[in-house]
Amino acid sequence: MPELPEVETIRIGLQSLLPGKTVKKVEHDWPKSFPNSSSDVKKFLIGAKITDVRRRAKVLIIDLSSNYSLITHLKMTGQLVFVPKGHKLTADSSQLTAEKKFGGGHPSNSLVGRLPDKSTRVILEFNGGAKLFFNDQRKFGWMRLLPTIQVPEIDFIKKLGPEPLEDAFTPDIFIERINRRQNSPIKAVILDQTVLAGVGNIYADESLWLAKIHPATPVKKIPKNKRILLYRAIRDILTLSIKSGGSSDKNYVNAEGKKGSYLKFAQVFRRDGQTCPRCGIEIIKIRVAGRGTHICPKEQRLPRGVK
DNA sequence: CACTTGACCTGTCCGC
DNA sequence: TGCGGACAGGTCAAGT
């Protein structure tokens, strides 16, 4: 669920909070969430000062003065929440009730509850008493320590496609990269992090709706003008979402434990049963590439002869 | 190599 | 009310 805009929002928050802080203590409860040995932690994390907070695709990179980095992938339910010394995050019960009642689409701004909670996997404590909590209900995410110089070399990062918001990512590059997957449904292709980095299920659905392309359309059946529309849609939607502080879906919160507001702007994601803002037809939910997929059945049609 | 499906996990929701 | 099953969706491994 944290996709590029959510991770970027967290990065911006942590960049304003972490640099200059020195790590004093680390606690963790689940080996897959934090696989490093205690001797590495002692040598390269404890006593190190945070120098920078970067992002590549959906991965956050916290650089340390020890020339090691702490890298984190939040997968679906991960959170990184900074709590200043003495500050207690307490959930406002009326906001939590609103959350339950209205679900992820409701533009609430509630804080997470008191931490640590049972989803807490790692706690970093800093000199001065502030803490950074890595929470992850489903335990798919991970945090690990490695030499900064090795970050670009780990398999996952090495294979990543280009950052879609960088200037170097041109329409020609987008078209060339999706062409590697001629027979795949376009949704599977833009979700593939080795084609381009950072798009997940929410922004895939939104982009394809904006470009009026059926998510199951094989790449080779998409005309060039539509490919360019899709390229623009992806960039516009990711940019808008970052401006909105990321989405407000389910488990996502920013570095201060607050929700974003992007889903207020979402046109199709989780809006099945509601009407398409452009044409008024009911949005439906289907399954494409093994994932829940939301489309306008009138404007996003499969080309003749496909499936 | 191109492409698809299931596994990893836990919490929530839906139907009986 | 309890209970089983489907579902959530990012990535990897194993399948065709």
Side-chain angles (χ1 to χ4, degrees):
Chain A
M1 267 173 249
E3 305 180 27
L4 188 153
E6 289 73 36
V7 179
E8 178 61 15
T9 301
I10 294 168
R11 187 199 69 76
I12 292 167
L14 293 179
Q15 177 67 44
S16 73
L17 294 163
L18 294 183
K21 296 221 164 13
T22 300
V23 180
K24 181 180 171 188
K25 189 177 161 193
V26 181
E27 296 171 75
H28 47 94
D29 80 328
W30 184 255
K32 285 185 182 171
S33 300
F34 190 95
N36 292 89
S37 71
S38 57
S39 76
D40 277 0
V41 168
K42 226 174 209 168
K43 273 192 254 179
F44 304 114
L45 184 53
I46 306 293
K49 186 180 280 188
I50 291 173
T51 57
D52 202 5
V53 184
R54 298 179 288 140
R55 178 187 63 76
R56 174 74 171 104
K58 302 171 188 173
V59 178
L60 262 173
I61 305 162
I62 299 175
D63 291 325
L64 301 159
S65 58
S66 57
N67 290 326
Y68 270 61
S69 297
L70 203 49
I71 67 176
T72 304
H73 199 307
L74 300 170
K75 293 288 179 83
M76 257 94 64
T77 56
Q79 310 174 326
L80 278 175
V81 182
F82 179 86
V83 180
K85 174 189 166 70
H87 186 89
K88 287 200 172 108
L89 287 174
T90 46
D92 170 352
S93 60
S94 64
Q95 283 185 334
L96 280 188
T97 306
E99 272 300 298
K100 274 212 157 129
K101 203 163 172 182
F102 298 109
H106 186 69
S108 101
N109 206 28
S110 66
L111 299 172
V112 296
R114 184 199 254 268
L115 294 174
D117 63 24
K118 67 177 176 179
S119 76
T120 299
R121 305 285 160 237
V122 184
I123 306 172
L124 289 190
E125 188 178 335
F126 304 103
N127 284 349
K131 291 177 182 176
L132 181 68
F133 293 88
F134 171 38
N135 304 322
D136 186 18
Q137 186 177 94
R138 287 172 69 179
K139 301 178 176 174
F140 288 177
W142 43 261
M143 177 178 263
R144 63 187 258 215
L145 183 66
L146 75 168
T148 303
I149 198 168
Q150 283 178 20
V151 172
E153 300 307 317
I154 67 168
D155 240 32
F156 175 73
I157 292 186
K158 201 163 61 180
K159 287 193 276 188
L160 285 171
E163 287 288 325
L165 296 182
E166 285 184 356
D167 292 342
F169 185 66
T170 61
D172 283 348
I173 289 179
F174 174 68
I175 289 170
E176 179 243 310
R177 296 191 74 85
I178 66 173
N179 276 344
R180 310 189 317 185
R181 303 278 303 276
Q182 291 293 329
N183 296 308
S184 286
I186 183 64
K187 178 166 178 176
V189 177
I190 61 174
L191 285 173
D192 182 341
Q193 303 297 296
T194 70
V195 172
L196 73 158
V199 174
N201 209 36
I202 298 175
Y203 302 108
D205 281 6
E206 292 296 310
S207 304
L208 289 162
W209 176 84
L210 195 54
K212 300 187 184 176
I213 299 169
H214 191 293
T217 314
V219 168
K220 66 182 174 195
K221 299 272 187 184
I222 303 174
K224 181 159 185 192
N225 66 323
K226 286 238 172 180
R227 297 176 183 214
I228 293 172
L229 281 178
L230 179 58
Y231 161 86
R232 290 205 201 114
I234 290 169
R235 291 179 38 124
D236 289 351
I237 281 170
L238 293 177
T239 303
L240 172 65
S241 181
I242 292 171
K243 284 192 185 141
S244 318
S247 82
S248 45
D249 197 33
K250 295 269 167 91
N251 296 273
Y252 168 70
V253 291
N254 69 14
E256 278 129 29
K258 293 183 181 168
K259 293 190 167 287
S261 62
Y262 175 76
L263 283 193
K264 275 191 281 185
F265 303 104
Q267 308 291 309
V268 285
F269 189 77
R270 296 260 173 86
R271 292 193 182 271
D272 40 310
Q274 302 179 40
T275 53
C276 169
R278 279 189 307 235
C279 77
I281 291 287
E282 189 176 308
I283 291 162
I284 58 168
K285 183 172 181 183
I286 59 176
R287 194 155 269 272
V288 175
R291 292 173 164 86
T293 299
H294 310 76
I295 63 166
C296 166
K298 183 176 168 193
E299 300 179 315
Q300 293 172 274
R301 295 201 192 258
L302 279 173
R304 252 190 292 275
V306 177
K307 225 171 35 169

